[in-house]
Amino acid sequence: SRTAGKKSFKVSFNTFTAGGKWNDMEKLNLNGNHNDPSMLRARMVWDYMREQGYVAPRISHVKLYINGEYRGLYINVEHVDEEFLKKRFKHDHGNLWKCTYPADLDDLGDNPESYKFTPSWSGEQRVYELKTNETADDYSAIRDLCHTVGSASDAEFQCALESAFDVDGFLKLAAVEILVGHWDNYIGNQNNFYLYERPSDGRLMMISYDVDNTLGIEWGGNWSNQNVYDYDQWGTKPLYDRMMGVEQYRTRLGWYIRDLIDNGNFSGTAWLERGNTLLNMCLPAALEDTYRTLDYGFDNDDYLNCLTNGSGGHVTQGIAENVNTRTTSAYG
């Protein structure tokens, strides 16, 4: 997105002023959503996840002006950092890692230093980037999780994994990410997730991240019909793959998916109603946004019909249309 015509921005209030905040926030993430003609998908997914009790960022739509020039409709996504943790956890001083491609959670041995690597195209940002407690730089929890997945015997696996990782929380998260078609995540693309080492029990939990490529935005795959127990179309994901070899975990994932459909308001009708409210609220700002046409040629009709129709190319379905497709295929 750095080369996009409609760019995203991060605004920091504490880079030049130590402790600086605005409305109790240290940073703003202003995302242009240039892949999404609706500019609604990320907000609808985050809103839904919070409604269902998931740990997820707050989000709003904003009109962005830079030096008096209107730069378009953006989403303002809460930054996942120590302030985020303080608002959600009684014990908020644990290690937080931001995990980006190729964060496959592969077993690299029992030395924590092995997990501090950077990808070949970047000499600065680690694949598992520690965002809190940087001075200690302790990667033992990452090592424990990955080494357990890679080395525990079948007889030991469940007990060992559940002592290091919030398995139930992961299965709940996988359920909602699969339903909304979040493929640019751990089980789809080895990308875009956080791991938090909870001081309350010493276990890692996974937190979702960057959900704009969802609900019918599909690059290189058919995510709305993908088997929920074999979601990783691209390569292997050791944690997910091994968990799906355990009947109890497969059964629990299926139950969470069905529960969201049956009792969690995951239906095309509900998403159409919610989407229409947001679409109409944002309509004037969206139609005035000339930057949204620069990257893929999205026009006003693409915005107005975004709930029921795709726009072609990587936007295969409208939002409510995609939810209907996924609920049917998930039951199959």
Side-chain angles (χ1 to χ4, degrees), residues 20-253:
K21 293 183 180 180
W22 177 77
N23 283 352
D24 204 33
M25 292 183 292
E26 295 178 340
K27 295 179 177 65
L28 295 177
N29 289 312
L30 303 177
N31 293 342
N33 282 184
H34 69 287
N35 284 339
D36 178 9
S38 75
M39 294 174 284
L40 301 178
R41 285 172 165 87
R43 176 167 183 173
M44 294 185 73
V45 171
W46 286 137
D47 284 348
Y48 180 75
M49 289 178 67
R50 288 199 319 279
E51 289 167 4
Q52 296 301 316
Y54 291 83
V55 175
R58 295 172 294 170
I59 185 171
S60 63
H61 276 94
V62 298
K63 295 177 69 174
L64 177 64
Y65 292 83
I66 298 179
N67 296 329
E69 178 193 355
Y70 180 52
R71 298 295 292 267
L73 178 66
Y74 277 69
I75 57 169
N76 171 29
V77 185
E78 184 180 13
H79 195 64
V80 179
D81 57 9
E82 66 276 7
E83 298 297 323
F84 178 93
L85 298 176
K86 287 178 182 178
K87 291 180 173 67
R88 289 162 178 83
F89 297 96
K90 181 178 180 181
H91 305 286
D92 56 18
H93 56 279
N95 290 332
L96 176 72
W97 286 272
K98 181 180 180 180
C99 308
T100 52
Y101 183 84
D104 57 4
L105 299 177
D106 193 20
D107 181 11
L108 302 178
D110 60 3
N111 184 353
E113 297 298 309
S114 300
Y115 298 87
K116 299 179 181 180
F117 67 96
T118 59
S120 59
W121 57 87
S122 171
E124 299 179 2
Q125 181 174 315
R126 295 172 180 172
V127 169
Y128 306 107
E129 184 181 14
L130 188 61
K131 307 298 287 187
T132 59
N133 306 315
E134 294 99 326
T135 301
D137 204 25
D138 181 6
Y139 275 57
S140 299
I142 294 277
R143 181 274 316 275
D144 291 345
L145 173 60
C146 296
H147 197 45
T148 293
V149 172
S151 64
S153 68
D154 290 343
E156 299 170 334
F157 176 62
Q158 285 183 256
C159 184
L161 180 64
E162 291 176 21
S163 68
F165 186 59
D166 184 351
V167 166
D168 204 52
F170 172 77
L171 292 171
K172 288 181 179 178
L173 184 63
V176 72
E177 288 190 336
I178 288 169
L179 282 179
V180 300
H182 186 21
W183 52 265
D184 197 14
N185 63 346
Y186 170 63
I187 58 176
N189 193 34
Q190 310 169 12
N191 197 23
N192 288 336
F193 62 96
Y194 284 86
L195 289 172
Y196 180 53
E197 185 182 7
R198 298 186 304 220
S200 58
D201 61 5
R203 296 190 298 167
L204 288 171
M205 66 172 292
M206 187 175 288
I207 301 172
S208 191
Y209 167 58
D210 204 10
V211 297
D212 55 327
N213 286 313
T214 54
L215 298 168
I217 293 188
E218 300 187 347
W219 297 90
N222 183 359
W223 303 96
S224 60
N225 289 293
Q226 184 69 8
N227 187 317
V228 301
Y229 306 114
D230 186 22
Y231 194 70
D232 53 341
Q233 297 184 43
W234 300 330
T236 59
K237 319 301 180 307
L239 172 65
Y240 169 75
D241 292 339
R242 188 155 190 198
M243 287 181 67
M244 290 302 97
V246 177
E247 183 177 358
Q248 180 183 352
Y249 294 159
R250 288 171 60 93
T251 300
R252 205 181 306 173
L253 173 62

Side-chain angles (χ1 to χ4, degrees), residues 37 276 279-280 283 287 299-308:
N276 271 320
L279 185 146
N280 289 322
L283 181 61
L287 297 186
D299 58 24
N300 290 344
D301 285 340
D302 292 321
Y303 178 79
L304 295 170
N305 299 320
C306 65
L307 298 172
T308 54

